[in-house]
Amino acid sequence: MEGLKTMQREALRQYLDGLLKSADFRDYCPNGLQVEGKAGVQRVICGVTASQALLDEAIERQADAILVHHGWFWKGEDGRVTGFRRQRLASLLAHDISLFAYHLPLDAHPTLGNNAQLAKRLGWTIEGNFSEQNIGFVGVPPAPTFAGELAQWVHQALGRAPLLIGDATRTIKRIAWCTGGAQSYFEEALATGADIFVSGEISEQTVHMARETGMLYLAAGHHATERYGVMALAAYLSDACSISCDFVDIDNPV
Ligand SMILES: [Zn+2]
């Protein structure tokens, strides 16, 4: 492609690690370059999760690297390269494609991160952070709104029906949010004084905690809330480094 530069994989790694401050986070997976591919990078395919479907798309588009929020090698995982893991790794190695993954650093980044980008999409103003490593965000909607209206707006903006736990007629003035599977931060969110906690997933016990504490809960989808960080990063990287970065959305109902 014309106008595109070839960036060295190592330079790209250093650039991304610095931009996302990956060394500052304790995480459940290694952040940064997870699988080493060819030395030169011109085309990057970006997505939420390094699933086989995303790898196939990257191979089809002759990508040199893949950049995701959910990579591989999670703590507690069985490390054996068998079955679907063998297939995934074989696909990457056969095509000499690098895999870059940024988990918590890409949730937390103050402008490009999932939480900041979700707020931008939903029109919420960020006022602060909460929880360990400041992963959670707290802020306000453009105007006080009924919880039912907020849920409808989230449905419209993200294209997925959320699950609201609590009184839909409650007025929401203050929102705590954390994208993905952050239901375990419920009590930290409660301590911020928020009227509602918005995350992606929900657990059985989340319902009881919402009922008993009075803080509402909105499960807006793990995938649906975590598309925007890597999308923003793809756009930023195209501009900053003059390499091709395309976001590919692999549908996921959760
Ligand atoms: Zn996630």
Side-chain angles (χ1 to χ4, degrees), residues 95-148:
H95 295 87
D96 217 4
I97 298 173
S98 292
L99 174 62
F100 289 92
Y102 292 90
H103 182 235
L104 295 183
L106 190 54
D107 286 321
H109 191 277
T111 56
L112 298 171
N114 282 320
N115 285 314
Q117 286 293 320
L118 185 70
K120 189 177 176 191
R121 191 148 193 109
L122 295 171
W124 302 342
T125 303
I126 298 166
E127 291 192 334
N129 293 94
F130 69 95
S131 193
E132 204 200 348
Q133 305 188 74
N134 286 326
I135 297 292
F137 280 48
V138 63
V140 294
T145 177
F146 291 125

Side-chain angles (χ1 to χ4, degrees), residues 69-70 103 107 114 179-181 222 226:
H69 176 52
H70 300 141
H103 182 235
D107 286 321
N114 282 320
T179 62
H222 192 140
E226 296 208 317

Side-chain angles (χ1 to χ4, degrees), residues 40-54:
V41 176
Q42 199 171 56
R43 283 190 192 83
V44 183
I45 289 297
C46 304
V48 177
T49 300
S51 62
Q52 188 67 50
L54 187 72

